[in-house]
Amino acid sequence: MSDATEANGTAEPAEAGRTGGGAGGRHVRVVLVDDHRMFRTGVQAEIGQTAETGVEVVGEAADVDQAVAVITATRPEVVLLDVHLPGGGGVEVLRRCAALMADAEQPVRFLALSVSDAAEDVIGVIRGGARGYVTKTITGTDLVDSIFRVQEGDAVFSPRLAGFVLDAFASTDAPPVDEDLDRLTQREREVLRLIARGYAYKEIAKQLFISVKTVESHVSAVLRKLQLSNRHELTRWATARRLV
């Protein structure tokens, strides 16, 4: 299925699949939203065996516009939502799907699934209405469990991310704006954090589903924007801001 047809050629009726069962009689209809086709394929293979997991993947999308179209057409119970998407990111998807989340009879619930574990990303999507946030290091079994918990209305977080949310909502003060960090795109921030953690370019490329050349381009852009000379300075910069 090509990205161009994901938003309109495969939608199932909203009422289809609301009953039935997989493992233990459970069943949930899910839409996958991520701009990396390989990652979506991997998630589908890992959790989409409906007879075993109870998870039925009813649609996919690679950017904000596709996501809104597919979610509106299929009315899934849970959306697995990447934070960084072309067209405005996961927060924009949440904003445009606010009415679907608020539907008392058939709510669409969102679970963020991202490579990023940055506090600002977690807090942003939770403020936008997502019911939880897990990182892409999660196992298939735990992801299935998280999907069903979100379907039931629970809030689900990877262990260390819950603290970000508690701290954010316990404080009435807005987080300070870091003008240097704001110069970077979301993807550049991801690369920055992984470089600062000591990842090699090949490891970053594999984790983010991009090429080594693309990683190199992002690193060059980060160094230029932050007026740094090398990855060692970059690591010190990120550590000083507690981004690692």
Side-chain angles (χ1 to χ4, degrees), residues 84 115-116 118 120-121 179-196 204 208 210 214-226 234 237-238 243:
H84 304 141
V115 69
S116 171
E120 64 266 26
D121 288 336
E179 294 183 359
D180 290 332
L181 191 60
D182 281 352
R183 294 190 184 103
L184 306 183
T185 67
Q186 293 289 356
R187 179 62 84 200
E188 288 168 353
R189 294 185 193 189
E190 291 177 347
V191 172
L192 163 65
R193 291 188 183 92
L194 293 174
I195 286 288
I204 296 172
L208 299 181
I210 57 179
T214 301
V215 174
E216 292 172 350
S217 297
H218 286 314
V219 172
S220 296
V222 170
L223 293 174
R224 183 182 69 254
K225 290 179 180 180
L226 300 181
L234 187 153
W237 186 93
L243 299 176

Side-chain angles (χ1 to χ4, degrees), residues 44-89:
Q44 168 85 328
E46 185 76 18
I47 71 171
Q49 304 301 314
T50 309
E52 289 76 29
T53 65
V55 176
E56 179 187 2
V57 178
V58 297
E60 300 180 15
D63 59 34
V64 170
D65 288 341
Q66 286 183 11
V68 173
V70 170
I71 294 164
T72 301
T74 60
R75 295 296 294 267
E77 287 137 318
V78 177
V79 177
L80 289 181
L81 179 68
D82 193 11
V83 174
H84 304 141
L85 295 167

Side-chain angles (χ1 to χ4, degrees), residues 158-185:
S158 293
R160 92 179 194 92
L161 304 186
F164 296 156
V165 179
L166 292 173
D167 291 345
F169 286 91
S171 173
T172 57
D173 298 325
V177 174
D178 188 323
E179 294 183 359
D180 290 332
L181 191 60
D182 281 352
R183 294 190 184 103
L184 306 183
T185 67

Side-chain angles (χ1 to χ4, degrees), residues 117-162:
D117 59 1
E120 64 266 26
D121 288 336
V122 178
I123 294 165
V125 295
I126 297 305
R127 289 192 186 280
R131 295 293 305 174
Y133 195 117
V134 294
T135 61
K136 290 181 178 179
T137 58
I138 194 171
T139 66
T141 299
D142 287 343
L143 180 56
V144 169
D145 180 65
S146 297
I147 290 169
F148 278 106
R149 287 176 60 193
V150 167
Q151 179 196 26
E152 293 164 2
D154 290 346
V156 179
F157 299 93
S158 293
R160 92 179 194 92
L161 304 186

Side-chain angles (χ1 to χ4, degrees), residues 19-39:
T19 59
R26 301 189 303 176
H27 184 268
V28 60
R29 300 173 73 251
V30 171
V31 163
L32 304 178
V33 180
D34 193 288
D35 60 339
H36 296 111
R37 179 190 296 277
M38 288 178 62
F39 181 76

